[in-house]
């Protein structure tokens, strides 16, 4: 309620926010999480909480009037459609030159992501978080994060025969014939549940194309792991459909936080002001960066340093599809949960996820999301004329990522005698070079904050999310975000808040 005071306020309920909530509560500190998205705990008129990727509906997108699907056309036909404006689950947030996809709701990105739970190979860690001791991450915090997230590995003998991973086996065959490293990657999906889906004994989720608009079963999102553990302490409250708009020091100590309450059309139905001794920014790379840049520029938090807003990267994301020969079908039923990748990081700067294209029909397509070692970094800045925050990303920067991904796919195409698909991303584009799923940076560790996420310039303000990571993790990011949050919150609690 307006006017109330809390010891610890957390902005956002994704990975960083959920870790902070659990560990603060276990240390005896009462926590209130403010989350701008919905709770996602109530079924719609179809009896399901989440929409299917085969038929996106009002629940799918955050305050858009037209869907913006990452694979935007099929056989050359645009597949996006008009939808009513609604506080849906997937935000396709447009900046100049790039659309940043993010989860909205209690659980953040864990609601919409593919569950790929990848720990970067240790040799690459120095390039990911140069100021962090790798030994303590690999000995303590990565294992702690994997346990907290419920990370598991697929039964490879089942994978070898499952119809729903035919596309992945085709991906492996093509990778190996071109002498690339093919790797299995961990996931938070319950693979026993997936076996039951294939056996037809439970409602289908991964095997019915559910993923980027939520999974109605099977996936261990934060709603199944950190968040119930946090709530079980009886010290954690969550307010969904509440958006933080300002944080400023108050004379009596601590901070004043301004909050807008939203309805499901996105209208502001109330504004509230609360106070907190400590504030944890966990609004995601974009959410935290936008808040900090605006609060510094508008004088609410003028002492933040000049590193705020800098060091933002897209994890080098680019997508492409390959057109297979008729003798390499990828299957009409494809598990929406990826399990494998092609690792050409050391030689070519690319790690490609073998992705599903679960349309329900045979497509003869292999789809890939590549993570690449691009050096390009953008900066957020406050725009006084619009009152918004801009990002200095340039679309042409994706060419570096395309070139790195081509070290894999040009070679495979020439070996297999195949070509890139041109019917998936609008027009005749071979590359989806206008998006990222993996925003990282904007409040970089040991630059905008100390080496544990304490913001410079203020005491009692912390950053807990992907904005701490300087633009690239060389693999999918959420295990690293979670492990870093575990490391930082432990230090913050044990050395005094
Ligand atoms: P996260 O974005 O999770 O949480 C931030 C939360 O803060 C959100 O819930 C948001 O609504 C809220 N918020 C923002 N501003 C606010 C404000 N002002 N007030 C209140 N609340 C606010 N990664 C991976 O490792 N493996 C994978 O398979 C995938 N797949 C994937 C697919 C898709 C479609 C997407 C979009 C993303 C992925 N990812 C992924 C990326 C992964 O989901 C992402 O890196 C993490 O969710 C980021 O975690 P954070 O804690 O940084 O923020």
């Amino acid at each position: 309620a307006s006017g109330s005071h809390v010891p610890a306020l957390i902005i956002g309920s994704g990975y960083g926010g959920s870790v902070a909530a659990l560990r603060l509560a276990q240390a005896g500190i009462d926590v209130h999480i403010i989350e701008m998205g919905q709770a996602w705990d109530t079924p719609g008129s179809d009896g399901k909480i989440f929409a299917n990727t085969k038929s996106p509906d009002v629940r799918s997108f955050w305050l858009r009037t037209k869907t913006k699907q990452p694979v935007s056309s099929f056989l050359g036909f645009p597949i996006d459609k008009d939808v009513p404006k609604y506080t849906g689950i997937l935000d396709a947030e447009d900046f100049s030159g790039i659309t940043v996809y993010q989860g909205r709701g209690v659980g953040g990105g864990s609601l919409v992501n593919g569950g790929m739970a990848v720990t970067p190979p240790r040799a690459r860690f120095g390039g990911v978080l140069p100021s962090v001791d790798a030994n303590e991450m690999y000995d303590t915090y990565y294992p702690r994060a994997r346990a907290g997230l419920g990370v598991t590995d697929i039964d490879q003998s089942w994978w070898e025969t499952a119809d729903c991973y035919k596309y992945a086996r085709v991906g492996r065959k093509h990778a190996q014939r071109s002498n690339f490293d093919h790797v299995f990657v961990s996931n938070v999906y319950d693979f026993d549940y997936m076996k039951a889906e294939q056996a037809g004994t439970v409602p289908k989720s991964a095997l019915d194309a559910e993923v980027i608009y939520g999974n109605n079963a099977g996936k261990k999102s934060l709603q199944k792991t950190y968040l119930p553990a946090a709530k079980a302490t009886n010290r954690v409250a969550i307010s969904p459909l509440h958006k933080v708009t300002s944080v400023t020091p108050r004379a009596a100590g601590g901070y004043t936080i301004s909050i807008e309450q939203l309805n499901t059309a996105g209208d502001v139905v109330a504004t509230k002001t609360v106070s907190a001794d400590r504030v944890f920014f966990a609004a995601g790379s974009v959410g935290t960066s936008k808040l900090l840049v605006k609060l510094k520029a508008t004088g609410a938090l003028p002492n933040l340093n000049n590193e705020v807003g800098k060091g933002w990267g897209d994890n080098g994301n680019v997508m492409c599809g390959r057109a297979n020969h008729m003798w390499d079908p990828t299957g009409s039923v494809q598990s929406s949960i990826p399990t494998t990748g092609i690792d050409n990081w050391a030689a070519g700067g690319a790690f490609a996820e073998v992705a599903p294209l679960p349309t329900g029909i045979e497509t003869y397509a292999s789809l890939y999301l590549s993570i690449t070692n691009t050096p390009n970094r953008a900066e957020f800045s406050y725009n006084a004329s619009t009152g918004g925050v801009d990002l200095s990303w340039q679309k042409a920067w994706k060419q570096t990522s395309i070139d790195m991904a081509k070290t894999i796919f040009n070679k495979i195409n020439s070996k297999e005698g195949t070509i890139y698909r041109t019917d998936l991303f609008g027009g005749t584009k071979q590359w989806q070079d206008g998006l990222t799923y993996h925003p990282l940076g904007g409040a970089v560790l040991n630059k905008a904050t100390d080496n544990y996420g304490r913001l410079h310039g203020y005491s009692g303000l912390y950053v807990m999310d992907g904005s701490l990571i300087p633009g690239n993790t060389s693999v999918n990011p959420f295990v690293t975000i979670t492990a870093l949050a575990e490391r930082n919150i432990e230090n913050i609690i044990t050395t005094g808040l």
Side-chain angles (χ1 to χ4, degrees), residues 102-159:
Q102 300 152 88
R104 294 278 174 253
V106 173
S110 79
L111 297 166
V112 299
N113 68 35
M116 292 178 80
V118 196
T119 303
R122 191 170 178 145
R124 308 213 291 246
F125 185 78
V128 176
L129 281 163
S131 66
V132 172
D133 178 357
N135 289 332
E136 58 176 38
M137 288 295 280
Y138 286 82
D139 294 347
T140 304
Y141 301 109
Y142 274 119
R144 187 176 295 172
R146 285 173 57 95
L149 294 166
V151 175
T152 53
D153 293 304
I154 196 163
D155 171 353
Q156 289 183 23
S157 61
W158 181 78
W159 182 92

Side-chain angles (χ1 to χ4, degrees), residues 34-240:
I34 307 296
E35 168 56 55
M36 69 193 253
Q38 297 191 58
W40 299 109
D41 56 3
T42 311
S45 55
D46 60 354
K48 296 191 168 177
I49 295 177
F50 303 112
N52 196 292
T53 61
K54 290 188 288 193
S55 50
D57 63 26
V58 67
R59 291 168 290 192
S60 301
F61 282 89
W62 177 260
L63 302 181
R64 289 190 87 88
T65 51
K66 189 172 189 181
T67 64
K68 188 156 184 170
Q69 301 189 67
V71 175
S72 60
S73 62
F74 187 62
L75 303 175
F77 294 103
I79 53 177
D80 281 314
K81 63 179 187 191
D82 294 337
V83 284
K85 207 173 159 202
Y86 185 74
T87 49
I89 199 161
L90 185 62
D91 193 352
E93 187 171 0
D94 292 321
F95 290 96
S96 136
I98 194 163
T99 299
V100 185
Y101 284 84
Q102 300 152 88
R104 294 278 174 253
V106 173
S110 79
L111 297 166
V112 299
N113 68 35
M116 292 178 80
V118 196
T119 303
R122 191 170 178 145
R124 308 213 291 246
F125 185 78
V128 176
L129 281 163
S131 66
V132 172
D133 178 357
N135 289 332
E136 58 176 38
M137 288 295 280
Y138 286 82
D139 294 347
T140 304
Y141 301 109
Y142 274 119
R144 187 176 295 172
R146 285 173 57 95
L149 294 166
V151 175
T152 53
D153 293 304
I154 196 163
D155 171 353
Q156 289 183 23
S157 61
W158 181 78
W159 182 92
E160 291 291 351
T161 58
D163 288 346
C164 64
Y165 283 117
K166 184 179 241 178
Y167 75 93
R169 294 192 295 275
V170 169
R172 174 181 61 183
K173 180 174 79 178
H174 292 167
Q176 290 181 337
R177 281 161 55 101
S178 287
N179 296 318
F180 290 116
D181 278 346
H182 169 269
V183 294
F184 280 92
V185 294
S186 306
N187 206 287
V188 295
Y189 202 85
D190 179 345
F191 288 114
D192 289 331
Y193 189 88
M194 196 186 292
K195 285 182 181 174
E197 290 179 53
Q198 174 148 307
T201 55
V202 296
K204 289 184 170 62
S205 182
L207 268 52
D208 189 28
E210 289 183 353
V211 59
I212 61 174
Y213 310 130
N215 284 85
N216 286 294
K219 191 169 76 181
K220 286 169 279 175
S221 72
L222 292 166
Q223 287 188 334
K224 307 266 171 65
T225 58
Y226 275 94
L227 286 168
K231 282 191 205 153
T233 63
N234 290 321
R235 290 190 179 278
V236 177
I238 306 181
S239 294

Side-chain angles (χ1 to χ4, degrees), residues 12 15-16 35-36 104-105 108-109 113-114 116 244 283 437 465-466 476-478:
Y15 294 95
E35 168 56 55
M36 69 193 253
R104 294 278 174 253
N113 68 35
M116 292 178 80
V244 171
Y437 290 157
D465 55 23
N476 314 63
F478 75 64

